[in-house]
Amino acid sequence: MMRRKLKQIFIVLLFAGLLAYLFCLPKDLFTTPYSTVVVDREGELLGARTAIDEQWRFPPQEEVPEKFKEAIIAFEDQYFYYHLGINPISIFRAFLQNIKQKKIVSGGSTLTMQVIRLSRNKPRTLKEKIIEAILATRLEFRYSKNKILSLYASHAPFGGNVVGIGAASWRYFGHASHELSWAEAATLAVLPNSPALIHLARSRYQLLVKRNNLLKKLRDRGRITDSTYELALSEPLPQEPLPLPQTAPYFVDQCHKTHRGKLIYSTVNKSLQVQAESVLERWNRQFRQSEIKHLAALVIDVETNEILSYCGNMGYQEKGLGNQVDLLQAPRSTGSILKPFLYAA
């Protein structure tokens, strides 16, 4: 009788534990705010605005650039595609290293565990490490390996207020992440492990050594050729964070007001936008001689009603009176509405 009762209790506890495991992950793993990112009709970046916490954190991208994928797996978790969230060998090796050094020098975390740590943002303790390991195995059942890698790439810290591969590529190299070279991908791969290294004035040599060691590892494993390796070693480190593009800034501001924290695919044609801004800049210099200081233009495809170019004003970066006013959105008096027709006449 006692044995039967104990068996029932065990089954109940096992079922309760299974339910707790199934529902241990929140529905939305990340609730962090994102930057507003606006691209043109071809996917070219027009501009972006920081998230409400002042971080450059682009909305998550589904596809991780192949070069960064190879680099981050080689650097952080070479058995990423073979484990189920935890790697006992790595944990045991990290344990021995910490005992030998008498301090924590390695955590043995897999990329999946690091995704959990980034989402929870808790102090790094032994208890938290155990929780991360449990949640990591559950995450492996929820998402594919590529999705987990995408979550890591989109939320990893890259130094300063730069978060995620999308923002880091633009801030440090001035182009999109799918255009990264092997040297650039290796540089970004080593940063989440030590994001303070991006303070190049203080840690330039350390960052260079870590990058080159990773490039050597990629070569030794046959991921890159000898010639690619030599060319990558010759590439310099980034000097300082770069400003993001400021094409159609008034349009980007408008998108930021109405679709904050989103990736917006607009109908704007970037080449036409640049051309329109150049024409307005030329006319604005001429009109300023007559104390006419503000100028705007809107180009629309009359057949599709799509906005092709949006120039809300001139002198966005200047401190002049009214330069930040988007004339295309500003209310007009009846007399002002007639001015374009009178000017045209």
Side-chain angles (χ1 to χ4, degrees):
M1 187 70 177
M2 179 63 70
R3 180 177 295 178
R4 183 180 178 184
K5 190 172 182 179
L6 289 174
K7 184 177 180 181
Q8 290 176 341
I9 293 174
F10 174 76
I11 292 174
V12 170
L13 291 176
L14 183 63
F15 183 71
L18 180 61
L19 283 178
Y21 180 72
L22 287 175
F23 296 99
C24 63
L25 276 179
K27 181 180 178 181
D28 296 317
L29 199 60
F30 289 92
T31 57
T32 52
Y34 297 105
S35 302
T36 304
V37 180
V38 185
V39 299
D40 81 338
R41 63 196 306 120
E42 302 297 333
E44 291 287 324
L45 182 66
L46 295 175
R49 300 293 179 263
T50 57
I52 57 175
D53 60 356
E54 299 301 321
Q55 301 291 302
W56 286 111
R57 185 189 297 108
F58 284 14
Q61 56 188 72
E62 291 300 321
E63 295 297 326
V64 180
E66 194 62 33
K67 291 176 182 177
F68 179 76
K69 183 188 298 186
E70 293 278 0
I72 195 64
I73 289 175
F75 184 73
E76 288 283 0
D77 189 358
Q78 59 181 313
Y79 299 107
F80 175 69
Y81 286 110
Y82 304 100
H83 61 65
L84 293 176
I86 58 175
N87 187 343
I89 296 176
S90 295
I91 293 176
F92 182 69
R93 183 170 60 245
F95 176 76
L96 293 180
Q97 289 176 348
N98 295 337
I99 291 294
K100 185 177 180 180
Q101 298 292 330
K102 297 182 180 179
K103 62 179 181 179
I104 298 178
V105 296
S106 176
S109 295
T110 63
L111 283 172
T112 313
M113 291 175 65
Q114 292 184 52
V115 169
I116 296 297
R117 187 177 76 240
L118 291 170
S119 69
R120 288 173 59 81
N121 195 25
K122 300 282 187 179
R124 302 177 72 173
T125 62
L126 179 59
K127 176 184 175 182
E128 185 61 25
K129 180 72 72 175
I130 294 173
I131 294 175
E132 288 173 6
I134 295 172
L135 295 180
T137 60
R138 180 66 186 89
L139 186 63
E140 290 278 346
F141 287 110
R142 175 184 288 189
Y143 293 134
S144 66
K145 288 289 187 180
N146 285 340
K147 176 65 175 179
I148 293 171
L149 201 57
S150 172
L151 287 173
Y152 174 83
S154 298
H155 297 90
F158 286 90
N161 67 336
V162 180
V163 178
I165 182 68
S169 297
W170 278 104
R171 290 289 282 158
Y172 298 134
F173 301 109
H175 54 71
S177 58
H178 66 269
E179 299 174 349
L180 289 171
S181 67
W182 279 108
E184 292 168 347
T187 301
L188 294 182
V190 303
L191 274 181
N193 183 265
S194 304
L197 290 181
I198 201 58
H199 296 292
L200 301 173
R202 300 199 305 266
S203 311
R204 193 171 188 83
Y205 179 73
Q206 291 175 266
L207 179 59
L208 185 65
V209 169
K210 294 187 77 169
R211 185 202 73 172
N212 291 349
N213 286 340
L214 176 54
L215 288 170
K216 183 177 183 298
K217 183 181 292 187
L218 289 168
R219 185 203 58 183
D220 293 344
R221 294 180 179 177
R223 300 301 185 184
I224 60 177
T225 63
D226 289 340
S227 59
T228 300
Y229 170 68
E230 294 297 333
L231 288 172
L233 290 180
S234 67
E235 287 190 33
L237 293 175
Q239 296 295 325
E240 58 184 11
L242 303 171
L244 267 67
Q246 283 281 22
T247 309
Y250 299 95
F251 178 71
V252 174
D253 280 348
Q254 185 63 22
C255 292
H256 184 54
K257 292 177 183 177
T258 57
H259 299 87
R260 185 185 296 269
K262 303 293 184 182
L263 171 59
I264 301 165
Y265 294 89
S266 72
T267 60
V268 170
N269 183 316
K270 187 174 183 179
S271 61
L272 182 61
Q273 176 70 33
V274 172
Q275 184 180 354
E277 290 179 357
S278 177
V279 171
L280 262 65
E281 180 62 35
R282 187 170 67 249
W283 280 103
N284 190 48
R285 287 196 299 267
Q286 182 174 333
F287 286 152
R288 281 190 175 187
Q289 298 175 10
S290 302
E291 293 300 314
I292 301 173
K293 300 180 180 178
H294 305 292
L295 195 63
L298 183 68
V299 181
I300 298 176
D301 187 327
V302 294
E303 294 184 357
T304 62
N305 206 32
E306 294 178 341
I307 295 175
L308 301 181
S309 175
Y310 188 110
C311 303
N313 204 337
M314 301 304 298
Y316 184 82
Q317 302 288 355
E318 299 175 12
K319 302 296 183 180
L321 181 64
N323 283 18
Q324 300 301 314
V325 176
D326 184 347
L327 301 180
L328 298 177
Q329 299 293 329
R332 295 289 177 206
S333 65
T334 305
S336 293
I337 292 174
L338 293 174
K339 286 178 183 178
F341 299 99
L342 295 174
Y343 181 79

